[in-house]
Every structure is written in C-alpha cells, then in structure tokens.
Amino acid sequence: MPLFNIKRYDADSDSTGQVSKATYLSRLKHLLQDANKRKEALASLSAQKTSEEPEQSDEVVVLETAEDDGGVTVKEIKEIKEQEVHRKKKKKRKDKNKIASPQVNETEVALTEKTESNQVSTKHKKRKRKASVDNNNNNDDEEEAISSRTLAKKLKFDSESVGKYEDKVKVDTEADVDANCVNEDQHLEVPLEKQNGDVNESFIQEGPHEFGEFTVLGEYKRQEVQKVSRKLPDWLVKPNLIKTDLSEEKTHVSEFEGLDAKLKKKLQENGINYFFPVQCQLLPVLLKDVRFGVNVGCAGYHPRDICCSSPTGSGKTFAFVLPILQSLKGRVVCRVRALVVLPARSLAQQVFNVFRTYAADLHLKVILIMGEKVFQKEQESLVERRSYGYESLADIVVATPGKLVDHINQTEGFDLTHLRFLVIDEADRVFDIMKYDWLTNLEKAVYKMPMSDSGTSCRPKPGPITINQVSKISTPFQKLLFSATLTDDSEKLQKVNLFQPRLFLASQNILKSSNKSGSESALPNTEEPGNDIKKQKNNVNGEQNIRFIIPESLKEEYLICNPSEKVIALLHLVLDRGFHSVVCFTNSVESTHRLCLLLKHIDKFPVAEFSSRIKVNQKENILAAFSKGSIRLLVCTDTMARGMDLLNIDLVVSYEYPKFVETYIHRVGRTARAGQQGTSVSLLEFQQVVHLKTMRKQCQSKSSLSQIKLTNQVRKKYVPLLRSAVEALPISLKAENKKNQPNKKTLQSSKA
C-alpha cells in the first residue's frame, strides 16, 4: 500500500507522521459525516431558541447554511427532527453489529473545544446549562460539530466545500480499498473482548496467522507447564528397607545362624551381645555369597554389588567386617583379597583396629597404608621379595585413596588380581575425592593382563552371562558401598561401575505400616529386592524416600545468640548443664585453633584440639584421653564427623552452623550411637533458625526441636572470664607465630 505524508496538528507539537491513504480517507470521511450530522442538530436547536426568544436571536452563533439570511423556517425544523430520529434508529441498529469507527485524537478535540469556547457567548453557555435532559444529546452533538468544523478548517477545508467534497471522498475511499483488495472493516474492527480487556481463548489463533496485511508471529494459548519427574534406576527406586529402631529390633549373637563360632565368641568377649537391624539384614546376604568359598559366587554366578545407607552408629562396620573375615578364615595362600577404602586417616585407623581385633584368632594379616609411616616401610609391609618372585604379606588392606594409588603405581609385586571384596566406607565422601582417579587405577590392577602371550585376561570383567563365561571359574570381584548419607546421584554411582546393585535403605516408614491388629509389617524379603516396597512411601513417578535419617534417641536443641556470645553459651552448656563428654564442631582449622586457645585461657575444664594441625600420633593420644574422660571438651573440625566411634559422648555442639544437611547428620551422629541417648545443640543466629528447620525436614526426625535461652544472669557470670581470655589471646598467637617461623641461621644453612 502506498504511503504519503500528511501534516498532523497536535496540542503540544507540530510533529509529522506517516499513515496509509485508505486510513486517512476513512478518517476524513467519518469526520465529514459527523460534521454534517452535528450541523443539522445545531440548526434545529438554534431554530427552537430563536422561536422562544426572538429578541436575543442575534446573539446565537449558527453554522453557515444555504439560506442567505441564515434563518430557518418551521417546516424545515420539523423535517430536520424527523431525519434526526430516523438517523438515531439507524445508528442503533448499526452499533449492534458493527464496531465504532476510529475516533478523533483527544488532543485535537481539546484544542478545538478551547478555541470554540472563546467564540460562544456567555448567555449561550447559560442556556445550555438550563437545557432539559432530553436535549443533552443534542448539546453533545453541538460541541462535536464545532470541534469537527475547527478540524476541517485546519485541514484547509472550509464549511461550504465540506458537503461538496463528501461524495468525492466516499467514491475515492471505495475505489482505493477495492484497488488494494483490503477490507476496511479488517483494519477498523476490533473484537469486543479485546476492547474490554477480556481475552477469550477461543478468539486467540495459535501460531503465525494473517491479520490484515500483517503477520502475527507469537500469539499462543497459555498452556500448563508439566512437572518433570525424576527417573532413577529400579534398584534406587525399589530398595530393601531396614528398620531404624535400635532399642527394640535386636537379635542375640548366639541365636544368629550362619556365623562362625569363633567370631561369635569374640563378639561376646568384647561386650557385643546383639546384632542391630542393618547387620541382621546384610549378614545373611553376604554370607550366602561366600558359602561355597571365596573364589566362587552363589551357585557359580557373579555376586551382586551392595549399597547400604543407614544412620550413624547403626553398626555398618560389623556388617562388612564379619562376612569378610569368615570368608577368608580358610585361606591357604596369602593374597590381597579384601580392600577397604576410607576418606580420612583417623577413620582408616579405626576400621583397621576393628579388623585387627577380630582377625587375630583367624591368623589373617591386616595392613594399614595411609601415609603414617615412611613409604618404603609401607612397601615392605605389603610385599616381600623371594627367589621365585614377590610374595604378598597382607590378606586385608585398609587404605586411603591417595596412598592406594601410590602403591599401585610404585610398589612392585603389589598384586590385586585376586581381590574379592572392595569396601568403600563413607562412599559419598570418597566420591568427592575422585580427583586421584583411584578407582580407574584400581580396576586396571584388578583386571590386569597376564605377562604371557595368550592375550586373555586372568579375570574377565562382569557382563552378560554366557556359556563360555560360566564354564570358567574365576574369582568374582564384589563392591560394597556404605554411608549414612549415600548419594542417589546416578551419574556418580555410574562411575563406580556397579554390577546389578542392590540397595539397603534405612527407613522409618516400616514402623508406620501396621495392620488392623496393631502388629508391625514384616521386613521386605532379603532374597528378592523390592517385594514389599510398593507399600512404602514411593510414588509412581519414582521419587526417592528420604535418605537422610537422624537417630531416634537423639534430642535436638538450638540456642539463638550473637557471634560474640557463643563462647558464653558453650561455657553455659558444659558447666551449668553438667555435660561431661562434649564435642564441639567448627567450620575451619583456624576457628578450631582459636576457640581451643580461648577456652584454655579461661581454664575451667580440660580442652583439646582435633584438626589437621595435629599429628597422627598426637591424635591417637587425644582420642584415648577423651575416651577415658581426662578431656572434657574436644574442639574439632568436620574431619572427625565422619565415622569416628567414640564412647559415651553426651553432647554435640555445632559452634558454627554447617552449610549442608549431610554435614549436620554426621555431626549429630557422634552421639546417640547404638541406641544410646544423646543431645545436640546448634548455636545459631536468628536468621539461621529457618535453615535448621529446613534441614530437619529433609531427614526422618521424630524428635521435637526445642529452644534454649541465654539469660542475663548467665551473661554476667561469664563475661569477666571471657574478657580476660580475649585480652590474652593475641599474645599467645604471636608467641606461636614466632615458634613456627624458621630462624635466620637455619635459613642460611639451608641456602648453603
């Protein structure tokens, strides 16, 4: 459609714009029509007024008409009235089926009203106010006629040529529209629903569509966003559930079938008379896989890998220690057949002590490699060189990931081709230190190719069961994963290369499912995973059960205070509430050291520090003194939160609040172990209370959360002690820095 410029007059500026010719002519046509209608209405109104008040007729302003003297006869007034009535009826019929035409710009109307108001006399305005209700419409038409007349003058059309030009405009408009094949109503009509602001979905056309000469690109109906459901493997969605009530669900050691008599006797000598639910669930499964010997799986098939997630202190260590010891008790040749990987040295030392205690009567050799000794001495403890080659000196190896990789790559004769069990304790933490790529190096050593030219592997990797694979007898390689906060991230679990895994998950939902008689439902069958799991809290979309569980015997409390009052709150908990064995967690090594020095300056009770600043030998002495009760408060980092089993811990204090729910669970898990009672207190600021409650929602916690208040009497009691300790703290820190700095003589000697 051709475009041309027309001059548009606004009240504020004389800006110009571009409009289409059809739009311009349509607009002008409607303006002229309205001007004629209002001219007729104004003429009839003026005629009535002149008939009533002939002496004031000279003051009335009337538009120009065809008569020379400007007067109107009575007959003409009647004809005008009839035409006006007929016009209004016709207009009402059209308004029902047709949308109103474009209106004149408001700024133009305002300008015309302002100019015409100066021309109308004061008496004429008074008569307009006195007019009756029936003549209100005529008054509105009069004003619009005046405004349209002024607009016509601005467009350089005088009132005499308006009537002559009307027919021409009509003809030109129709011709222009027909020439361009455009329907005028298509440009002017707008649905009533859009005018009123209510958009009906039936009117909206989805996708690109033509509207006049324009293409609407993005008009679509509003659709509901579907929630993306999480899809997990079946073994994660359908676990074997384990009860968590340690006080009731116990089985006596003497009544347990399938366990070696020597191991039962050793357990009872160490004061262990009952098995917990996780042990009752896992021991039969693992013992069944080794009942035909360590070199053959159950019925000759490759055993399935095991993943276990249960609360802290529920007995996960014995769940893998006892089956491994029983399977290796009849071994003839010493080979590395069990490997236990742990993320921290202190935890590795603890598991090593458990293995050494129960393997002594079975004549099995257990070796610990974690960097405590010189690397060469660790090599000598693992292998021994003979005339015919290297001989293994270890049946069971407990290691950290970093040192394990070092020995695989650097220790000659360290053979893992006969490895039967790989235990990953605190598996979620071990996954985070995959930077050593220890699992890839381990699997290469396990499935190592022989030195012969046969080109075949001494141990085939697990895969589909075939006749060729079943006909060959080879030592299976089984992986056992344990953690209190085992991840359900399938991407991380895929890196472990699990073979048909089975998940054993501790859940409190079993306790809630009971029949009408009040008896609890039985545990799911250990032979077939997921038998009763459909009755548990798993929906159809595959959403997981709550995997983080807090011990039922734990009492949780929190105390709101400022950071400057945390030391006072800690003193109040230890001294006033009478806790004798307390563990206090911080988020950094520096905070641990400063808090320990501050408490030592207060000197109200024995305090010790447990962090990476302390050497391994000193850590063992500190833990031994803490277990005996000679140390009342142990300030430590989160390295101690993982798996450390210390007896008779009364209170766990989170001096600095943890960021993750896994850290919180491992912290509070240092107390309330093995069904005993325990208390945890979190020192929080006001805005951190919400985060604590959010974390507890992610756990299956039955205990109520109570608040402790710090009174003014307690503050007054400990503020003088705190002031003196704070003043002495910088002096002690400076003294430590001087000791740690090397002397000038030593620097010169080292350079030389």
Side-chain angles (χ1 to χ4, degrees):
M1 181 178 291
L3 302 178
F4 62 98
N5 291 331
I6 63 170
K7 194 169 185 180
R8 301 176 59 190
Y9 292 89
D10 295 331
D12 299 329
S13 62
D14 293 338
S15 60
T16 62
Q18 289 186 353
V19 297
S20 63
K21 184 176 179 180
T23 304
Y24 171 76
L25 295 177
S26 176
R27 236 181 242 175
L28 186 59
K29 180 187 70 172
H30 289 291
L31 289 175
L32 295 176
Q33 290 176 356
D34 292 341
N36 288 335
K37 293 174 183 178
R38 293 176 186 118
K39 179 182 68 174
E40 295 173 356
L42 186 59
S44 62
L45 181 62
S46 61
Q48 292 179 1
K49 292 179 180 180
T50 51
S51 62
E52 294 175 357
E53 298 177 359
E55 65 277 6
Q56 297 180 357
S57 60
D58 55 340
E59 295 180 1
V60 180
V61 180
V62 185
L63 292 176
E64 295 179 1
T65 57
E67 275 73 7
D68 296 334
D69 56 351
V72 184
T73 63
V74 178
K75 186 177 180 180
E76 291 175 346
I77 292 174
K78 291 182 180 180
E79 293 176 356
I80 291 172
K81 286 184 177 181
E82 293 176 357
Q83 293 176 3
E84 183 68 16
V85 172
H86 180 69
R87 184 185 65 80
K88 288 183 178 179
K89 291 181 180 179
K90 187 177 180 180
K91 185 177 180 181
K92 288 182 180 179
R93 288 195 298 268
K94 288 183 179 180
D95 290 340
K96 292 181 180 179
N97 302 321
K98 192 174 181 181
I99 305 302
S101 59
Q103 299 178 357
V104 185
N105 194 353
E106 293 180 0
T107 57
E108 296 174 350
V109 175
L111 179 62
T112 54
E113 289 179 354
K114 185 176 179 180
T115 54
E116 290 297 327
S117 63
N118 296 329
Q119 298 178 7
V120 180
S121 62
T122 306
K123 294 182 179 180
H124 182 63
K125 290 181 179 179
K126 291 181 180 179
R127 294 192 189 95
K128 288 176 64 178
R129 295 191 188 100
K130 295 178 181 179
S132 60
V133 179
D134 298 334
N135 296 327
N136 286 337
N137 295 331
N138 296 332
N139 294 338
D140 295 337
D141 294 340
E142 178 184 357
E143 292 178 2
E144 293 177 1
I146 295 172
S147 62
S148 61
R149 172 182 151 189
T150 307
L151 180 62
K153 288 182 179 179
K154 289 185 178 181
L155 294 173
K156 296 183 180 181
F157 289 100
D158 54 353
S159 57
E160 292 182 356
S161 59
V162 168
K164 298 178 182 179
Y165 198 78
E166 181 179 355
D167 296 335
K168 183 179 179 181
V169 169
K170 183 176 181 181
V171 174
D172 294 342
T173 304
E174 294 176 355
D176 186 78
V177 172
D178 294 337
N180 293 279
C181 298
V182 179
N183 187 5
E184 185 180 350
D185 295 337
Q186 194 172 6
H187 291 277
L188 301 178
E189 290 188 0
V190 180
L192 288 172
E193 296 166 337
K194 288 196 172 184
Q195 282 186 347
N196 298 331
D198 300 330
V199 180
N200 189 1
E201 291 186 358
S202 61
F203 172 77
I204 299 177
Q205 300 182 21
E206 293 193 46
H209 60 276
E210 297 295 330
F211 186 77
E213 289 190 348
F214 300 96
T215 302
V216 180
L217 298 178
E219 196 166 4
Y220 296 90
K221 292 182 180 179
R222 182 178 296 177
Q223 298 179 355
E224 294 183 359
V225 179
Q226 296 181 354
K227 292 183 179 180
V228 180
S229 58
R230 191 180 185 189
K231 299 297 181 182
L232 295 175
D234 291 339
W235 68 275
L236 281 174
V237 177
K238 301 177 180 180
N240 290 65
L241 299 186
I242 304 173
K243 291 187 177 182
T244 58
D245 191 356
L246 304 182
S247 60
E248 298 180 0
E249 298 297 329
K250 294 181 180 179
T251 302
H252 201 275
V253 172
S254 59
E255 298 176 357
F256 192 85
E257 298 180 358
L259 191 62
D260 186 70
K262 292 183 178 180
L263 291 176
K264 289 182 180 181
K265 182 179 179 181
K266 193 69 174 180
L267 288 170
Q268 292 178 349
E269 289 177 357
N270 291 316
I272 300 174
N273 298 317
Y274 295 93
F275 284 135
F276 292 140
V278 63
Q279 298 164 353
C280 296
Q281 191 86 339
L282 283 175
L283 287 177
V285 176
L286 295 176
L287 291 175
K288 182 181 178 180
D289 292 336
V290 296
R291 61 181 176 178
F292 296 109
V294 70
N295 294 323
V296 182
C298 180
Y301 294 106
H302 192 287
R304 300 174 64 178
D305 295 335
I306 302 296
C307 297
C308 178
S309 178
S310 64
T312 56
S314 59
K316 295 186 293 295
T317 304
F318 278 115
F320 63 82
V321 168
L322 295 178
I324 290 174
L325 293 177
Q326 180 161 331
S327 63
L328 299 180
K329 67 176 182 178
R331 69 109 173 95
V332 178
V333 181
C334 184
R335 305 279 189 185
V336 179
R337 291 184 170 89
L339 175 63
V340 184
V341 181
L342 302 109
R345 292 181 178 182
S346 56
L347 186 57
Q349 182 70 47
Q350 179 178 298
V351 174
F352 169 73
N353 294 335
V354 175
F355 267 108
R356 186 174 57 180
T357 300
Y358 291 91
D361 297 338
L362 302 177
H363 307 289
L364 297 175
K365 297 180 180 179
V366 185
I367 302 299
L368 174 64
I369 52 174
M370 62 175 187
E372 179 185 2
K373 301 178 181 179
V374 181
F375 188 76
Q376 185 177 359
K377 292 184 177 180
E378 289 184 348
Q379 288 178 326
E380 293 175 357
S381 63
L382 286 174
V383 294
E384 185 179 2
R385 192 180 184 91
R386 300 285 186 178
S387 59
Y388 53 84
Y390 289 97
E391 181 181 351
S392 176
L393 301 178
D395 295 300
I396 302 169
V397 176
V398 181
T400 55
K403 284 298 175 183
L404 176 63
V405 173
D406 293 340
H407 284 285
I408 290 174
N409 296 329
Q410 301 179 26
T411 302
E412 294 184 6
F414 185 51
D415 186 16
L416 296 176
T417 56
H418 300 276
L419 188 64
R420 172 66 173 81
F421 299 100
L422 171 62
V423 180
I424 305 176
D425 199 3
E426 303 295 335
D428 58 324
R429 183 69 184 92
V430 177
F431 291 155
D432 295 336
I433 53 178
M434 283 292 189
K435 58 183 180 180
Y436 298 110
D437 203 14
W438 66 271
L439 188 59
T440 303
N441 288 277
L442 175 64
E443 289 186 341
K444 288 181 180 179
V446 170
Y447 300 106
K448 188 177 180 179
M449 298 293 291
M451 300 301 296
S452 61
D453 297 334
S454 61
T456 60
S457 174
C458 62
R459 174 188 288 180
K461 291 184 179 182
I465 299 176
T466 59
I467 297 177
N468 185 22
Q469 184 180 4
V470 175
S471 61
K472 297 180 180 179
I473 299 176
S474 61
T475 303
F477 179 45
Q478 188 177 16
K479 299 174 184 176
L480 311 176
L481 277 64
F482 294 87
S483 179
T485 54
L486 185 65
T487 180
D488 58 354
D489 189 350
S490 56
E491 184 178 358
K492 288 184 178 181
L493 293 172
Q494 188 179 7
K495 296 179 181 178
V496 191
N497 299 324
L498 299 175
F499 175 75
Q500 297 182 1
R502 297 175 62 178
L503 175 62
F504 291 84
L505 177 64
S507 175
Q508 294 175 347
N509 294 328
I510 300 179
L511 300 177
K512 298 178 182 179
S513 58
S514 59
N515 52 24
K516 295 181 181 180
S517 61
S519 61
E520 295 178 356
S521 61
L523 282 169
N525 187 5
T526 57
E527 302 297 332
E528 297 296 332
N531 284 347
D532 296 338
I533 197 61
K534 293 181 180 180
K535 301 179 182 179
Q536 306 301 327
K537 192 177 178 181
N538 278 337
N539 55 24
V540 294
N541 293 331
E543 296 180 0
Q544 279 298 95
N545 274 338
I546 300 176
R547 294 187 175 275
F548 305 142
I549 300 176
I550 294 176
E552 296 182 4
S553 58
L554 177 66
K555 180 181 179 182
E556 296 178 86
E557 297 176 343
Y558 69 95
L559 191 149
I560 300 176
C561 60
N562 297 325
S564 59
E565 298 177 342
K566 287 187 176 182
V567 178
I568 298 175
L570 184 60
L571 294 173
H572 169 65
L573 293 173
V574 177
L575 297 177
D576 297 340
R577 298 192 63 180
F579 291 105
H580 299 284
S581 181
V582 183
V583 177
C584 181
F585 286 99
T586 61
N587 291 339
S588 64
V589 178
E590 183 179 358
S591 298
T592 302
H593 184 59
R594 285 178 176 271
L595 180 59
C596 184
L597 289 178
L598 193 64
L599 293 174
K600 285 181 178 180
H601 285 297
I602 294 175
D603 196 17
K604 284 292 183 180
F605 45 80
V607 184
E609 178 185 355
F610 192 90
S611 64
S612 59
R613 291 171 51 92
I614 310 301
K615 296 181 180 180
V616 178
N617 295 331
Q618 294 178 352
K619 286 183 179 179
E620 293 180 0
N621 297 331
I622 290 172
L623 293 177
F626 183 74
S627 299
K628 293 178 181 179
S630 57
I631 297 176
R632 189 171 182 178
L633 176 63
L634 188 63
V635 184
C636 56
T637 57
D638 288 324
T639 54
M640 187 178 172
R642 288 277 182 174
M644 294 300 297
D645 188 10
L646 299 176
L647 300 176
N648 302 324
I649 296 180
D650 301 329
L651 175 65
V652 172
V653 180
S654 292
Y655 186 82
E656 293 177 345
Y657 191 68
K659 297 180 180 179
F660 307 103
V661 62
E662 294 89 347
T663 307
Y664 177 76
I665 290 173
H666 285 285
R667 283 185 180 183
V668 301
R670 297 313 97 207
T671 185
R673 299 178 68 85
Q676 298 179 356
Q677 298 295 322
T679 306
S680 70
V681 178
S682 300
L683 304 182
L684 307 174
E685 298 181 33
F686 180 76
Q687 63 272 15
Q688 293 176 337
V689 178
V690 179
H691 300 288
L692 174 62
K693 294 180 179 179
T694 303
M695 284 187 180
R696 294 184 77 255
K697 287 181 180 179
Q698 301 178 32
C699 311
Q700 295 182 5
S701 179
K702 289 185 176 181
S703 61
S704 60
L705 183 64
S706 58
Q707 181 181 358
I708 307 172
K709 293 185 178 180
L710 197 64
T711 61
N712 292 329
Q713 295 179 356
V714 175
R715 293 186 179 93
K716 292 178 181 179
K717 182 179 179 180
Y718 295 111
V719 163
L721 296 175
L722 181 60
R723 285 179 180 174
S724 59
V726 169
E727 292 175 357
L729 182 61
I731 300 173
S732 59
L733 289 175
K734 288 181 181 179
E736 284 186 353
N737 292 333
K738 289 182 180 180
K739 290 182 180 180
N740 295 330
Q741 289 178 358
N743 298 328
K744 294 182 179 179
K745 294 181 179 180
T746 55
L747 289 174
Q748 291 176 0
S749 60
S750 61
K751 289 180 180 179

